RNA sequence: GCGCCUGUAGCUCAGUGGAUAGAGUACUGGCCUCCGAAGCCAGGGGCCGCUGGUUCGAUUCCAGCCAGGCGCGCCA
């Protein structure tokens, strides 16, 4: 089979353009698949584009182009339509040959040629201070699907999770754990309202007691509260005072508690994500950026470039000269680096690892953070065009028609694990990715739970199961389908299915380019829909052997693309349901 | 106040500088003696938020308004 039809038609149009309008040979040639079958298999608006510069009517130009179009055995019909569109209808062979391509290339069908581009996608990166909730789930599903789609499109993709193991939030978790542990020994310190309330913290306290007895309990409540301001005065100062006391009273044991809590929560998080079909190639530690001195090196580099100044004892990065609305502190008055400083170091590290494209997936609430990171990258003299942020809008959970509160610290949230258990991994992954990332997602928990059978994922899986069932009843050798007489596929629905299959690679490329894995989900819905429609209209297991083989070949091709597409979204393709 | 996202059928959402703006759901009516009815077929339902601008052509691009969400820390 020669070049794909789209490339062929573009070549033909280019030749026609060369003779009709040599001065305009650089006009981009756009071929699209018309929505309506009556408009042919491909349509070009070339004549409409040329109308203005050439000062001729679009329809006249279309007729001229058509007259100069070289003949091709693949093209059955060319016509001028509407305002001046040139519509192409392919011969049946050119349409059905895709079936053979799918069956011979199998899971490689639709895969883009290797681009050699190294892409890093960093996503989820939630603080390991508690279970992942449904908001994190969206970032996880989106990131994992995008990574798979970009990989399939031909890029080399690295998936990474940035572990915030160095900040105050981890200290709050360590303190929370310790206080819960102390309660086992009747050392009762009022639990701060802004500490981590979840029952998992109580559990961790219990585990430490079981394993180590009173090793960390050689204190009194008075010592823990010594010199700490009251909650009423300032609850954040109150918390910081307790943390300082904990560090002082526990000495080296503080690090033990801190690391225990971190390891527990990170392990829980990793296990949850793996169960969700969201793997990572690397879990990058924020703390390691300090250990290797990269944070200091990054700030020093900015300083040497003259982008840092000192004010009120703190070091400020002049991000306002790089488009940010104001300057930002990188090192506080107390000498501690800010989260922003380690983030600058992290991005420096990403560049130093030689990625061509660095994609961060953030929650939409972090959008204000983009200019300062981009500014820091620019200030370090690094190419900012390699850096992109994909914002994922909030997933708002509804329960009983009411917006449900979601806060890790308050402990009032629905965990990703609960959601997965309720609606299943497949429906969960699919539901999350069924919307554009910049669209707010209303996650109706009651609907997802009670009517999960109405989730479109089952519609697609059902098409797959049906095909498996028919092929099983045929009980033939699937290799024989490669020799099918595809000319027997001449029905309207069959040719439409072939066209849909042929569009798979285009959908992959588009989804990868637009960071829009939802396009794959909608494509699969369309493909499944066209299959169901055909299935109801025609029988596959017919007496006419050649016709049966041709139809089974088409069905097998549909099955292959369903499997490939669902795999990209992390959804299974069961043979029966 | 400034910044980002959103506004399309009753509801949840796709989509496009172009031809009659689509799907699911809900509602109405049909289709299993025949490969899986978690399916199919048919029907009604729309100032594509409003007002201007660019264009041969705008629901799409631009500006301004209106409405909703989110953000604007020496937090992470």
């Amino acid at each position: 089979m020669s070049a794909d039809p789209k490339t062929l038609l573009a070549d033909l149009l280019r030749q026609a353009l060369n003779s009709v309008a040599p001065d305009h040979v650089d006009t981009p040639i756009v071929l699209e698949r018309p929505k309506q079958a009556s408009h042919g298999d491909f349509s070009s608006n070339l004549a409409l584009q040329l109308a203005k510069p050439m000062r001729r009517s679009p329809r006249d130009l279309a007729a001229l182009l058509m007259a100069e179009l070289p003949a091709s055995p693949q093209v059955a019909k060319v016509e001028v339509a509407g305002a001046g569109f040139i519509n192409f209808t392919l011969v049946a062979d050119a349409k059905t040959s895709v079936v053979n391509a799918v069956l011979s290339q199998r899971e490689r069908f639709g895969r883009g040629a290797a681009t050699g581009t190294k892409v890093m996608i960093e996503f989820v990166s939630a603080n390991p201070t508690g279970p992942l909730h449904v908001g994190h789930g969206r970032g996880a599903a989106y990131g994992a699907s995008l990574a798979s789609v970009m990989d399939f499109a031909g890029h080399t993709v690295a998936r990474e999770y940035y572990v915030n193991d160095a900040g105050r939030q981890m200290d709050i978790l360590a303190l929370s754990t310790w206080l819960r542990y102390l309660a086992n020994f009747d050392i009762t310190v009022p639990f701060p309202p802004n500490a981590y309330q979840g029952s998992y913290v109580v559990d961790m306290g219990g585990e430490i007691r079981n394993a180590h007895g009173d090793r960390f309990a050689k204190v009194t409540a008075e010592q823990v509260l010594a010199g700490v301001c009251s909650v009423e005065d300032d609850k954040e100062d109150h918390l910081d005072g307790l943390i300082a006391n904990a560090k002082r009273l526990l000495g080296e044991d503080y690090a033990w508690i801190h690391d225990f809590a971190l390891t527990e929560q990170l392990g829980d998080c990793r296990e949850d994500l793996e169960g969700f079909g969201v793997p990572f190639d690397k879990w990058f530690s924020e703390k390691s950026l300090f250990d290797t001195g990269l944070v200091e090196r990054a700030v020093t580099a900015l300083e040497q470039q003259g982008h840092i100044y000192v004010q009120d004892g703190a070091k400020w990065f002049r991000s306002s000269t790089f488009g940010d609305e104001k300057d930002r502190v990188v090192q506080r008055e107390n000498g501690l680096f800010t989260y922003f400083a380690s983030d600058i170091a992290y991005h420096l590290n990403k560049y130093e690892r030689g990625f061509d494209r660095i994609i961060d997936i953030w929650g939409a609430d972090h959008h204000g953070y983009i200019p300062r990171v981009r500014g820091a990258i620019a200030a370090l003299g690094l190419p900012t065009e390699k850096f992109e942020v994909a914002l994922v809008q909030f997933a708002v959970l509804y329960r009983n028609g009411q917006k449900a509160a979601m806060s890790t610290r308050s402990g009032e949230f629905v965990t990703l694990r609960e959601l997965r258990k309720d609606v299943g991994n497949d429906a969960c992954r699919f539901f999350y990715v069924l919307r554009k990332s910049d669209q707010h997602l209303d996650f109706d928990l009651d609907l997802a739970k009670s009517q999960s059978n109405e989730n479109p994922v089952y519609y697609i899986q059902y098409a797959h199961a049906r095909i498996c069932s028919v092929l099983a009843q045929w009980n033939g050798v699937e290799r024989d389908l490669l020799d099918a007489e595809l000319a027997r596929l001449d029905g309207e629905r069959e040719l439409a299915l072939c066209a849909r299959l042929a569009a798979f690679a285009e959908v992959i490329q588009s989804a990868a380019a637009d960071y829009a894995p939802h396009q794959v989900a909608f494509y699969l819905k369309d493909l499944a829909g066209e299959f169901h429609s055909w299935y109801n209209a025609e029988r596959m297991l017919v007496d006419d052997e050649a016709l049966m083989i041709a139809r089974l070949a088409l069905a097998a091709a549909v099955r292959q693309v369903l499997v490939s597409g669902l795999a990209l979204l992390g959804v299974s393709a069961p043979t029966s349901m």
Side-chain angles (χ1 to χ4, degrees):
Chain A
M1 168 82 204
S2 55
D4 74 287
K6 205 169 165 178
T7 312
L8 172 82
L9 294 176
D11 281 349
L12 298 179
L13 274 172
R14 181 75 64 197
Q15 290 180 49
L17 178 61
N18 203 23
S19 25
V20 172
D23 296 343
H24 297 90
V25 281
D26 292 334
T27 310
I29 295 193
V30 180
L31 280 158
E32 57 181 27
R33 296 175 185 274
K35 280 169 280 189
Q36 285 182 259
S38 65
H39 292 149
D41 297 308
F42 287 95
S43 173
S44 175
N45 65 349
L46 184 58
L48 291 147
Q49 287 184 63
L50 287 173
K52 180 152 197 208
M54 295 189 65
R55 288 195 283 188
R56 310 245 339 225
S57 96
R59 283 197 69 101
D60 287 352
L61 281 169
L64 284 172
L65 286 166
M66 206 176 102
E68 292 297 323
L69 211 60
S72 163
Q74 304 242 48
V75 180
K77 189 170 71 175
V78 185
E79 55 190 355
V80 176
F85 294 96
I86 303 173
N87 293 341
F88 297 88
T89 303
L90 300 174
V91 298
D93 274 3
K95 295 190 240 188
T96 57
S97 62
V98 68
V99 170
N100 217 293
V102 176
L103 295 181
S104 53
Q105 295 170 34
R106 303 166 67 92
E107 71 280 349
R108 294 197 49 79
F109 176 78
R111 180 176 276 279
T115 60
T117 304
K118 285 177 66 186
V119 180
M120 184 225 262
I121 305 182
E122 182 222 318
F123 60 110
V124 188
S125 301
N127 286 340
T129 53
L132 296 170
H133 56 64
V134 297
H136 298 127
R138 186 175 190 190
Y142 173 74
S145 298
L146 177 62
S148 295
V149 167
M150 292 190 78
D151 177 279
F152 198 71
H155 305 307
T156 303
V157 179
R159 302 154 171 87
E160 195 153 308
Y161 187 117
Y162 182 54
V163 183
N164 298 122
D165 52 6
R168 177 169 178 260
Q169 294 305 323
M170 277 308 306
D171 281 327
I172 298 174
L173 180 69
L175 172 74
S176 305
T177 305
W178 188 48
L179 293 181
R180 293 303 196 193
Y181 161 84
L182 289 179
N184 288 296
F185 302 94
D186 290 327
I187 302 169
T188 49
V189 176
F191 201 78
N194 47 346
Y196 289 103
Q197 308 286 324
S199 61
Y200 62 93
V201 183
V202 178
D203 295 343
M204 285 197 294
E207 283 172 43
I208 296 174
R209 179 205 56 205
N210 293 342
H212 295 271
D214 65 353
R215 173 180 160 190
F216 309 107
K218 312 253 190 305
V219 296
T220 63
E222 290 70 30
Q223 287 176 298
V224 177
L225 287 161
V228 177
C229 78
S230 75
V231 182
E232 289 74 23
D233 284 351
D234 188 321
K235 62 180 183 178
E236 297 300 330
D237 280 355
H238 175 74
L239 207 54
D240 288 332
L242 289 173
I243 291 168
N245 281 351
K247 286 180 176 173
R248 188 168 43 77
L249 292 165
L250 284 165
E252 288 181 3
D253 277 345
Y254 177 81
W256 191 94
I257 303 240
H258 180 284
D259 291 352
F260 174 84
L262 170 66
T263 306
E264 282 287 303
Q265 295 312 312
L266 198 57
D268 177 79
C269 188
R270 184 194 299 234
E271 193 253 5
D272 196 11
L273 288 168
E274 279 172 4
F276 197 33
V278 180
F280 287 90
D281 300 304
K282 192 172 173 70
W283 297 69
F284 193 99
S285 158
E286 179 188 9
K287 190 167 170 291
S288 74
L289 293 168
F290 291 97
D291 296 345
T292 59
L294 191 60
V295 178
E296 283 202 83
R297 180 151 72 82
V299 172
T300 303
L302 289 174
E303 229 164 346
Q304 285 168 349
Q305 298 296 316
H307 301 309
I308 299 279
Y309 62 92
V310 177
Q311 184 180 311
D312 303 331
K315 281 186 184 174
W316 296 70
F317 166 54
R318 219 180 283 278
S319 54
S320 61
T321 59
F322 295 93
D324 199 3
E325 57 189 16
K326 57 194 226 187
D327 297 338
R328 309 289 175 177
V329 171
V330 290
Q331 192 171 15
R332 292 191 279 262
E333 193 181 359
N334 61 15
L336 293 177
F337 288 105
T338 59
Y339 172 87
F340 178 42
S342 45
D343 224 8
I344 295 172
Y346 182 37
H347 284 87
L348 176 58
N349 171 276
K350 289 182 182 182
Y351 273 85
E352 287 181 344
R353 278 190 275 164
F355 290 104
D356 301 302
R357 289 167 75 181
I358 295 163
I359 302 171
D360 287 12
I361 296 174
W362 295 350
D365 54 337
H366 283 61
H367 79 266
Y369 200 72
I370 297 173
R372 76 189 74 165
V373 174
R374 191 178 291 282
I377 289 168
L380 288 167
L382 300 167
T384 54
E385 65 276 7
K386 288 185 180 178
F387 172 68
E388 288 178 89
V389 178
L391 291 176
V392 178
Q393 292 292 328
F394 267 28
V396 181
L397 195 68
Y398 286 84
R399 186 191 276 147
N400 303 324
Q402 298 287 314
K403 198 169 163 178
M406 271 198 305
S407 160
T408 316
R409 280 213 234 176
S410 71
E412 287 176 34
F413 51 85
V414 172
T415 63
L416 175 59
R417 194 173 268 115
E418 286 164 4
L419 186 70
R420 291 204 286 128
K421 189 162 175 283
D422 282 340
V423 309
N425 268 348
D426 285 343
C428 209
R429 284 288 302 261
F430 197 81
F431 196 97
Y432 271 132
V433 88
L434 199 53
R435 269 152 191 72
K436 279 189 301 203
S437 57
D438 50 11
Q439 178 78 240
H440 298 271
L441 170 60
D442 293 336
F443 207 119
D444 188 329
L445 201 60
D446 302 309
L447 185 77
K449 283 184 191 177
S450 67
Q451 300 184 8
S452 61
N453 277 359
E454 290 174 18
N455 193 300
V457 72
Y458 295 102
Y459 183 77
I460 298 167
Q461 290 180 324
Y462 183 53
H464 177 264
R466 267 182 155 176
I467 296 170
C468 290
S469 173
V470 173
L471 287 171
Q473 286 169 64
W474 166 56
N475 201 24
V477 182
E478 290 198 22
R479 205 171 39 247
D480 293 348
L481 299 178
L482 281 164
D483 301 321
E485 285 176 42
L486 297 177
R488 300 301 299 274
L489 300 174
D490 54 3
E492 205 174 285
R493 289 188 173 85
E494 288 160 349
L495 294 177
L497 261 178
C498 288
R500 185 69 64 183
L501 291 173
F504 184 52
E506 295 163 31
V507 171
I508 295 299
Q509 292 300 324
S510 169
D514 297 347
Y515 301 164
H518 77 276
Q519 291 178 13
V520 176
F522 280 91
Y523 169 82
L524 292 174
K525 268 172 68 177
D526 289 343
L527 178 62
E530 279 168 356
F531 170 77
H532 284 308
S533 180
W534 175 53
Y535 180 94
N536 274 273
E538 306 285 356
R539 263 186 81 81
M540 287 181 234
L541 300 175
V542 293
D543 293 336
D544 181 340
E545 175 85 7
L547 181 61
M548 176 179 77
I549 295 295
R551 287 181 173 171
L552 289 173
L554 175 56
V558 171
R559 180 182 63 173
Q560 175 61 59
V561 173
L562 289 174
V563 169
S564 298
L566 286 173
L568 293 176
L569 303 181
V571 177
S572 69
T575 55
S576 67
M577 16 195 326

